[in-house]
Amino acid sequence: MKKEKEMGSKDSIGTREAIAATIYFLSAKLLISFPQHMAELGQTAAWIVPAISFATATLGFLIIVALLRRYPGKNIVEASEEAGGPIFGIIASLGYFAFFFATTIFSIREFSETVSTSLLPRTPLSVIMGVFIIATLVAISAGLEAITRASLVGMPLIIGTLIVLNVLLLPQSNFDTIFPLFGPGIGKLVYNGIIHSGIAGEIIFLCIIAGQLNESDKVQRMGIVSLLVSAVFVVVSTLNYSAVFPYPLSLHISYPGYEASTLIYMGRFFQRVEVAFVFLWVISACIHLALSGYTSAVIAKDMLRLPSHKPLLPALAILQFTLAFVPSDVPQTTHIDFMVVKTYSGLLLFVVPLILLLASRIREGRSTGRR
Amino acid sequence: MLAISGISGGSFVELIHMLLQKLISFLSFDPPEDGNQYRTAQGTGHDGRGRPDRRDGTDRRDRTDRRDKHETQRKHDEKPDRERIEARRKTRSRLKVRSGSKVRSGLNKMEPKRLRGVKPKPGFGFVRPLVIERSPDASSAQPGTLPSAISPESYLDILTFETSSEDFHPEDEPARAGKCRRKGHLHAEKANKDETSQDEAREDEVKPLTNDLDTNLEMLKKILHYGTNADVVVREFDIPTEPVTKAAIVFMDGLAGKDAIDFSILQPLMLIAHLDDKEGTLNRLEAVKRRLLPGNQITESNNLRAIIEAVLSGATCLLIEGSDIALSIETRQWEHRSIDRPSAEMVVRGPQEAFNETLRSNLALIRRRLQTPDLITEMIKVGTLSRTGCAILYIEGLTNPQLVDEVRKRINESKSDHMQDTGILEQFIEEKPFVLAPQTLSTERPDRMAAFLAEGHVGILLDGSPFALVVPATFWSLLQSAEDYFLRWPFGAFLRIVRTVALILAIFLPAVYVALTNFHPEMIPTDLLLAIAASREKVPFPTVIEVLIMEISIELIREAGIRIPGVIGPTLGIVGALILGQAAVAASIVSPILVVIVAITALGAFAVPNFNMSFAIRIYRFVYIVLAAALGFYGVAVGVFVQLVTYVNLKSFGIPYMSPVAPHTRSSGDALFRYPLWKSETRPSYLKPQQKQRQPKISRKWIGNSHWGKVGKSKNEKGEGNGQ
């Protein structure tokens, strides 16, 4: 059902803005060490792992949508409390909060390290992270509408950047390196893909903002479109990086995207253009961080029954800034992010919504029986 | 406490102010509120303030105090009761709240102790202005008078703090306690008097007319300050009837046309008039209006306010003995600038007319282009002092009525004394004044205004301003020029692309140069890098200082060039820029490449059609230079993100600023890239117009039916309805 917008009334999120924001959320990991970890999991078939993961995440998303359909107009946090009761609902909400909070922390660290490595090697990391946090605070304070609209405006940027980058890398690509096609074996690929389906766990964002969508009944379609488009971006880019940096070389390159862009050479006047790409990547990173920071703030707001998420922002920002320094270096950061957070977030995609769905059905059955 | 102190309503700041003053007065020297303390001070062993009488060791100052107090009290007691009561009322520092008026006062305990030669400490008892608020239902209070019996002059005398032996006059007590030298109080007093006199004037203006001509004239003369104000002309004459009917006209010299007055009013009434004596007064007025006044617009008014507004706008008011209705006759005629070419929005292909300072002629220019009876002009008065005419234009049945209501509401609720230009009005009605981006679009072209009205926007014109406002404004509309539509669509689209590139260069080019040279030199081709390095070898300043020097110089040249008179202005600007740049390069203050960069940047800023937007660009440029100097491309990228978020969050009269891109709304493809006009079938949906379709899908029906053969396939051949 489409909400009628009155002039001057509080706006809601349009379909295109929601899809653009979700695509940003899912695809921005290409800018960091995601391809490196895919190479760890899939070896020469590093590009197949995200395809399986995204497909698996789609199933989990459909389960969450089925749960949301039982509670129209509510987001996943409210639906969790309705379905699971006060205790399990809070536990589920805490799980969602922990996932997005951790995503924000590690993303801040990883993006800052990327900027530090590529653009500002002599600038203290705290300065880079502080600037990131301030920029995202501005965006989160402006609200979800501003972030999603910024995503929509920036969508041509990231699409254009990825397309241009992949096209310009073709001269350096050697597609013989993707063989053997299934790498360590189909079984292992499927296993790793399913276990690490949390790499697409950001799709839960769409379920968090379900109540603010203009067309909330089309959440499923928005999610599937977002997953599909993001999957195409991720798979094609990972394939290209695998062709440029063959296994086992790709295990040692922390930022394949940046390193690949340094290889672009189109004559004397078109070389070393990675700076231009990083310029666009920083904007994408800011949007990604704003989305994850907003999501964690909103979950906390709903759990604490606050009217607004803004009072939580300074505290969350300080926490994120502090905790982002906990990992000692980049490998540790990416290891925790991908091997812990993205792995166990699969529980939030499948297990928790399944339990809530069952609990909801049991409650419904009981209430029907009483009548 | 608030009720006692007489504070009603008032802002939080004033409350804090009041509390601070109370605290200071409490901690400092508090004079007695009335004369009773003098009595208690007599022979009690205390000086009335609890301090022991030190006659056994009393100092001379204490004895002087008590003697003065006795003298004062004696004189006080000798006065008649009525005088004493009046004097006591004057000395009270607390003004009581009377019915119909509320007084915010700040005089509690501000009277100083009457000690000879005592000067208070600096900052002792700062003055709180006396402001009289008049509640809407004030009926019993006399308008324009202070609630207490304090006259302004004695009130001024009361607020005195610095006393000296020379200044202190006990015989003036309690009416005078010293002299206040606080300017704030004097201004507040003056403001209070001015506000009072304005209130008096406003209250008088709404009075109805009487049947007596002399009374009406007296009231008008008083309000218009006849005698002092040389512009006001009152011409009394007789209309030849038996007995003679007295009449008078009132007009403003310089605003009313003398020929119109002479030939359209005085001559018919004095020479040609033949009124039947048997007609009553009312019929006489009607007869005058219908038979004797050939003026094309005549309005009847029965209150002074309408008459005054008409006279002040150039009309002539006719008053007739025995009638409480006045006639306002249209005689507006004053010297004004004729319609000229636009100065800020020049085009090669397109109309060359621009608005001028006369509201009526501006409205006529628009109405000539939109000859529809649905074009509505609502007139509002803005400015409490200036009462400037403001016109709101929209198309009934097309424009969203909510938008019109919002515009009307904002203008009506913007209170200022003098609104002389739409630039001032714009600042009162915009939503976020602290965002650099302009939230209204100003134009001096009537064709642009007509085009915006036809789309569903609302136009605002102000008398005396050659710039009109169009609301709501979007970011994309600020980059559009009128010429885009008068050229064929490929050229219009090309111009838009050029303008967009110019905008990007104007904002980012200096910052990119700073970032590249300081942080990312590897991105520059080697040959160019060597050239830049060689040219900068002798420059003693860092790149960012170099850039700032040149940018500030350009800004100075631009500002100075506006104010240099005559023909030498542009010449001096160009020569100055060239010579300045060349001299700076020769002196090795800046590098040659930077001169080129700054010149391209300045040209890019000029390429932006909107004047307000170009100012915003100039400021953004400096911000990005600083970000680039601090953090290179990272800083610029973060700045772009923050600016993007700010713009998508901005609204102009409820419409998102980045519409129709974000949020995405259906439009005819006119945001950034100009599509063919025959494909612009719908109006911008973000305006929510009442009529969405502006032209049919097939707007060129001649296709396929051309006289000289078929142009494209005809409708029958194609078998479809779409021949385009």
Side-chain angles (χ1 to χ4, degrees), chain B residues 330-612:
Chain B
E330 170 63 37
T331 53
R332 291 181 181 89
Q333 186 179 344
W334 54 76
E335 296 298 323
H336 60 274
R337 190 168 61 96
S338 61
I339 293 171
D340 205 352
R341 289 170 174 270
S343 58
E345 294 175 80
M346 289 172 286
V347 296
V348 174
R349 178 80 185 265
Q352 305 295 329
E353 285 178 329
F355 291 131
N356 62 9
E357 287 77 9
T358 309
L359 179 62
R360 280 292 161 194
S361 67
N362 294 342
L363 291 171
L365 287 171
I366 298 170
R367 210 165 266 284
R368 267 201 314 120
R369 285 170 171 76
L370 278 177
Q371 295 184 18
T372 167
D374 296 328
L375 174 63
I376 307 294
T377 307
E378 286 187 18
M379 298 297 288
I380 299 177
K381 293 286 181 188
V382 295
T384 51
L385 184 65
S386 63
R387 299 187 206 174
T388 313
C390 174
I392 300 176
L393 286 89
Y394 58 94
I395 296 182
E396 181 70 34
L398 168 65
T399 312
N400 187 349
Q402 281 183 312
L403 174 62
V404 179
D405 291 341
E406 182 67 21
V407 172
R408 197 186 296 121
K409 176 186 159 211
R410 289 194 191 189
I411 295 177
N412 278 329
E413 293 182 9
S414 297
K415 300 295 179 191
S416 177
D417 62 340
H418 182 38
M419 295 234 196
Q420 58 182 353
D421 192 80
T422 48
I424 298 175
L425 181 63
E426 175 187 359
Q427 295 172 59
F428 277 90
I429 62 175
E430 62 185 359
E431 292 188 42
K432 292 199 177 176
F434 292 104
V435 174
L436 291 176
Q439 290 136 68
T440 58
L441 189 145
S442 60
T443 179
E444 57 174 353
R445 297 183 64 91
D447 54 295
R448 275 199 95 188
M449 172 62 86
F452 278 118
L453 288 172
E455 267 192 352
H457 293 259
V458 174
I460 303 170
L461 283 99
L462 198 67
D463 195 16
S465 173
F467 281 88
L469 295 179
V470 175
V471 295
T474 61
F475 173 76
W476 315 105
S477 64
L478 296 173
L479 301 180
Q480 293 168 3
S481 163
E483 200 169 17
D484 297 346
Y485 298 94
F486 301 134
L487 298 171
R488 295 178 65 231
W489 74 269
F491 313 141
F494 174 72
L495 285 178
R496 292 238 177 127
I497 294 170
V498 168
R499 233 174 273 133
T500 307
V501 171
L503 174 75
I504 294 170
L505 287 175
I507 298 178
F508 294 112
L509 188 59
V512 167
Y513 175 74
V514 170
L516 281 179
T517 52
N518 285 354
F519 293 87
H520 318 293
E522 70 276 4
M523 201 176 160
I524 306 172
T526 313
D527 293 340
L528 183 59
L529 184 63
L530 290 173
I532 293 173
S535 64
R536 289 203 67 251
E537 193 179 359
K538 294 180 184 175
V539 176
F541 302 113
T543 310
V544 63
I545 300 295
E546 214 184 322
V547 168
L548 287 174
I549 288 172
M550 284 304 295
E551 288 293 340
I552 291 170
S553 304
I554 286 288
E555 295 295 329
L556 288 174
I557 291 170
R558 196 195 310 240
E559 277 301 303
I562 295 171
R563 284 161 187 82
I564 297 175
V567 296
I568 62 171
T571 311
L572 197 65
I574 295 167
V575 171
L578 286 172
I579 293 176
L580 195 69
Q582 187 59 35
V585 170
S588 299
I589 295 174
V590 296
S591 57
I593 192 166
L594 189 62
V595 176
V596 175
I597 286 174
V598 168
I600 293 172
T601 307
L603 289 172
F606 282 122
V608 175
N610 188 267
F611 189 60
N612 285 341

Side-chain angles (χ1 to χ4, degrees), chain A residues 38-51:
Chain A
M38 293 302 102
E40 283 179 19
L41 298 174
Q43 298 176 8
T44 56
W47 57 280
I48 298 179
V49 175

Side-chain angles (χ1 to χ4, degrees), chain B residues 214-322:
Chain B
D214 292 331
T215 309
N216 293 337
L217 276 179
E218 277 307 310
M219 288 195 292
L220 269 175
K221 283 178 182 179
K222 183 184 169 190
I223 293 170
L224 292 171
H225 304 283
Y226 180 72
T228 312
N229 191 351
D231 291 333
V232 180
V233 178
V234 177
R235 172 74 160 90
E236 296 183 58
F237 59 96
D238 297 327
I239 300 175
T241 56
E242 289 295 335
V244 165
T245 304
K246 293 196 311 181
I249 55 171
V250 181
F251 61 93
M252 297 293 275
D253 190 11
L255 290 180
K258 294 186 174 56
D259 289 341
I261 293 171
D262 289 345
F263 296 118
S264 301
I265 301 173
L266 291 177
Q267 198 175 71
L269 290 177
M270 293 170 73
L271 301 179
I272 307 171
H274 176 72
L275 294 174
D276 195 342
D277 300 340
K278 296 175 188 171
E279 290 178 1
T281 309
L282 194 63
N283 292 336
R284 192 171 294 167
L285 181 79
E286 196 64 23
V288 164
K289 177 185 165 187
R290 293 178 70 86
R291 286 193 269 149
L292 295 176
L293 292 176
N296 56 65
Q297 288 183 47
I298 296 177
T299 312
E300 291 183 3
S301 322
N302 63 352
N303 68 80
L304 286 170
R305 180 159 199 148
I307 295 168
I308 288 162
E309 286 184 359
V311 168
L312 289 173
S313 67
T316 299
C317 164
L318 172 67
L319 297 158
I320 296 178
E321 174 68 39

